[in-house]
């Protein structure tokens, strides 16, 4: 359609489009780092609000569950209402939820605010990525734009640890939530002034049964992984949650093949390249989130680092992700197939994980931890950018929101599963080690710390295996050619407007 082509041409020649990228990236950074920014602040919040050890996980899980479980619905809302409008609504709601969490006086109020943050993040994230997809249509510009976006998506979690450490140590844990308010306000005004979008698609409809089935299935499975730690894998509740999650997701797939306007059109995930990207992202993030969890406790509990020092210890990882994404992937993506970046990236990240399996209670950061973090960061940077770019390439405008949401869903659900699964493995291994080695007259503190580190290394071995599996998936499933050998993105995006 000529109108669509005109809109695409306008987006491609707008001199302010790079400033628009800054706004989109700022919003995405806020959403991603909020998954981890409260990790270092969690002990202070727990003490201040009297949260029990069993319930403290919900400060993290309430956010990631709501975020991952509702992203598909958020993507469809972006298609229905319009990306720019949804982007602004998401920013305003996220800021309000952050202010509510910062002012929390009870644990329930904090849990609710974190869940509300996840709801609005689910609205915000897919509209941000779909705006990026339709703003940058030239393959070379698209590579640069996704390089920046991928770097922030990959490093945002690590940046959250740094910012969380600084705010917790020098201000108060509440500022880990309050800090989102000025960022969101800036992004709202910038988005209104700089971003362009067509009105929402009148034919789009919300698939409420699909949303309930999909979200319910994801929540049940992730909650099952969380409960496997205190209850055990064979507990009836845990098995029941896994079974219920499997049934709900199977019913979700069945319904999507019959729904008049499906929440997730199955042709999106039937595409081999997109399915490979979604699966690669989910598996990669399982390992990455597990690393963040273990290294935070290892540095603070075992090596006695302060919150700020712990946050700064992640800085090389962040820098390596940015270098891998913007200086390597973005520069060569239009010359090589995406899998030649993604598969080696996962092998590199797994190599960093293997190095970490050798850590002990007396490990030196500079010689034993730092090299592993750098390898991890480079590997993730090589992987993230081509995953985002390949998964969203060639998508019809009416499906861009839900496709973007599926990329983010794989990231958030992978993070939720990874945190719960690897933490259960680590805890179980630690308990077994302490039981086997704690004898009469033994140094209980030393044995306990050794047991904790042993649990971490066992879980990290599992994470390394999962990352190698991600590399195998990328090598076998992602068969896309370099962007320069494909049809121009702008043409592909505009040919199938309803």
């Amino acid at each position: 359609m000529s109108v669509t082509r005109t809109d695409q041409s306008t987006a491609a020649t707008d001199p302010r489009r790079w400033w628009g990228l800054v706004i989109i990236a700022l919003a995405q950074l806020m959403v991603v780092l909020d998954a981890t920014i409260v990790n270092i602040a969690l002990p202070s919040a727990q003490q201040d609000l009297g949260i029990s050890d069993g319930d403290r996980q919900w400060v993290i899980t309430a956010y990631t569950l709501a975020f991952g479980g509702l992203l598909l619905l958020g993507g469809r809302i972006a298609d229905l209402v319009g990306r720019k409008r949804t982007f602004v609504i998401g920013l305003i709601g996220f800021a309000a939820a952050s202010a509510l969490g910062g002012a929390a006086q009870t644990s329930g109020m904090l849990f609710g605010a974190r869940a509300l943050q996840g709801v609005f993040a689910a609205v915000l994230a897919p509209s941000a990525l779909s705006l990026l997809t339709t703003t940058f249509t030239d393959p070379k510009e698209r590579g640069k734009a996704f390089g920046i976006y991928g770097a922030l998506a990959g490093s945002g979690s690590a940046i959250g640890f740094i910012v969380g450490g600084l705010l917790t140590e020098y201000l108060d844990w509440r500022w880990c939530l309050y800090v989102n308010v000025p960022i969101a306000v800036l992004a709202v005004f910038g988005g209104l002034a700089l971003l362009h979008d067509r009105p929402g698609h009148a034919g789009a409809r919300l698939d409420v049964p699909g949303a309930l089935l999909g979200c319910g299935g994801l929540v049940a499975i992730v909650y099952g992984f969380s409960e496997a730690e205190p209850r055990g894998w064979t507990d009836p509740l845990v098995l029941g949650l896994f079974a219920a999650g499997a049934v709900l997701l199977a019913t979700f797939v069945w319904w999507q093949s019959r729904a008049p306007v499906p929440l997730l059109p199955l042709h999106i995930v039937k595409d081999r390249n997109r399915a490979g990207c979604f699966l690669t992202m989910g598996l990669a993030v399982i390992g990455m989130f597990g690393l963040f969890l273990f290294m935070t406790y290892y540095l603070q509990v075992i090596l006695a680092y302060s919150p700020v020092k712990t946050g700064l210890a992640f800085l090389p990882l962040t820098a390596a992700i940015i270098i891998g994404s913007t200086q390597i992937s973005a520069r060569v993506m239009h010359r090589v197939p995406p899998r030649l970046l993604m598969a080696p990236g996962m092998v590199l990240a797994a190599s960093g994980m293997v190095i970490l399996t050798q850590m002990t209670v007396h490990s030196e950061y500079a010689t034993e931890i730092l090299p592993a973090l750098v390898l991890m960061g480079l590997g993730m940077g090589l992987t993230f950018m081509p995953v985002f770019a390949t998964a969203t390439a060639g998508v019809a405008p009416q499906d861009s929101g839900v496709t973007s949401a599926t990329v983010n869903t794989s990231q958030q659900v992978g993070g939720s599963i990874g945190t719960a699964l690897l933490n259960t493995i680590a805890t179980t291994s630690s308990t077994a080690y302490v039981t086997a080695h704690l004898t009469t007259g033994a140094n209980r503190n030393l044995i306990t710390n050794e047991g904790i580190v042993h649990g971490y290394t066992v879980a990290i071995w599992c994470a390394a295996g999962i990352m190698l599996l991600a590399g195998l998936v990328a090598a076998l499933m992602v068969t896309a050619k370099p962007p320069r050998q494909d049809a121009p993105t702008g043409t592909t995006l505009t040919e199938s407007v309803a």
Side-chain angles (χ1 to χ4, degrees), residues 41 254 266 397 452 496:
W254 171 84
L266 294 184
I452 291 173
S496 55

Side-chain angles (χ1 to χ4, degrees), residues 185-210:
V185 170
L186 178 63
V188 166
F189 285 108
L192 291 173
L194 298 170
L195 298 177
H196 303 282
D197 187 35
R198 297 183 302 277
H201 298 283
R205 294 291 184 271
L206 297 182
D207 177 17
V208 176

